Amino acid sequence: MIIGKGAFEMNKMSWAMIALLPLLTGCNAPDASTPPAQDDSVVAEEAAPDAAGVLPTERAVADIKTADGKPAGNASATVDDGRVMLSLQVEGLPPGEHGVHVHMTGKCDAPKFESAGAHWNPANAQHGLEAPAGQHAGDMPNLVVDANGRGKLAYELKGATFAGLMDADSSAMVVHAAADDQKTDPSGNSGDRIACGIFKAGQAVGTPTG
């Protein structure tokens, strides 16, 4: 069979195109050495607040114990629009009114808890919600404990910052034996310290029920 010159040239070109095809397709293949782009949705999920809208770095919890080491509740400090909000829940404490304060040092050495230092007072103000030149950043209303030994209190710490609360030596939540008169320096005649907890970043170990 005789193949014309034109047909032979076309055949030659077809075989050349077939030979180049793998090279051409390889140029469009993704570069395996280039790492995949980071998924922004994953980063956003890791940095997202919890269900209460609070970032982990904006929460501190103190697990409160009595002088004999028994659990007595917890205090939780969170940040809301720049304000430090404190929520206190106690159990197993004597019924009645009790002075409660944030103290300046995160130490709770039983039985007297004197290691917690004085009230948290970065502005060097006078003690008490009723003091004309008050109040300490750690001052709070009295906690009312019911006949079952339970009590709750929520309050905005006036003049407080979360950075100050969680400084190098942290701070402590202290419950006193008697009511705070809210005007007498340095602690409102609120008596002995009967329970104490050190503020730490994170969640409470246990929350009173009921």
Side-chain angles (χ1 to χ4, degrees):
M1 180 178 178
I2 299 174
I3 301 174
K5 183 177 182 181
F8 178 78
E9 291 295 334
M10 288 184 67
N11 243 356
K12 188 176 179 182
M13 289 178 65
S14 298
W15 284 109
M17 290 295 293
I18 291 171
L20 287 172
L21 187 60
L23 296 176
L24 292 172
T25 56
C27 291
N28 295 325
D31 186 359
S33 64
T34 304
Q38 188 174 19
D39 186 356
D40 290 338
S41 64
V42 174
V43 175
E45 183 179 344
E46 292 175 351
D50 64 10
V54 180
L55 293 170
T57 53
E58 296 177 321
R59 177 187 285 110
V61 173
D63 287 303
I64 301 168
K65 295 182 179 180
T66 59
D68 56 3
K70 292 180 180 178
N74 64 72
S76 175
T78 56
V79 177
D80 181 10
D81 195 23
R83 302 172 302 161
V84 178
M85 311 300 294
L86 194 143
S87 177
L88 174 63
Q89 301 180 73
V90 300
E91 62 181 359
L93 294 183
E97 286 190 87
H98 296 268
V100 289
H101 316 104
V102 177
H103 285 241
M104 63 186 298
T105 305
K107 291 188 72 177
C108 288
D109 296 340
K112 295 186 177 181
F113 304 122
E114 292 175 346
S115 57
H119 291 185
W120 181 33
N121 184 23
N124 293 317
Q126 291 183 355
H127 167 73
L129 307 188
E130 299 175 11
Q135 63 192 72
H136 299 161
D139 285 348
M140 299 175 61
N142 284 313
L143 170 70
V144 178
V145 176
D146 64 21
N148 296 316
R150 298 178 181 272
K152 294 182 180 181
L153 178 63
Y155 185 69
E156 176 190 348
L157 298 179
K158 308 296 184 182
T161 64
F162 192 80
L165 181 78
M166 298 300 293
D167 62 4
D169 60 0
S170 189
S171 54
M173 185 76 241
V174 175
V175 182
H176 291 258
D180 186 337
D181 67 17
Q182 300 295 349
K183 57 187 177 183
T184 303
D185 267 333
S187 59
N189 291 324
S190 50
D192 293 337
R193 305 173 184 190
I194 62 172
C196 183
I198 301 169
F199 280 104
K200 298 178 182 180
Q203 299 286 344
V205 173
T207 302
T209 57

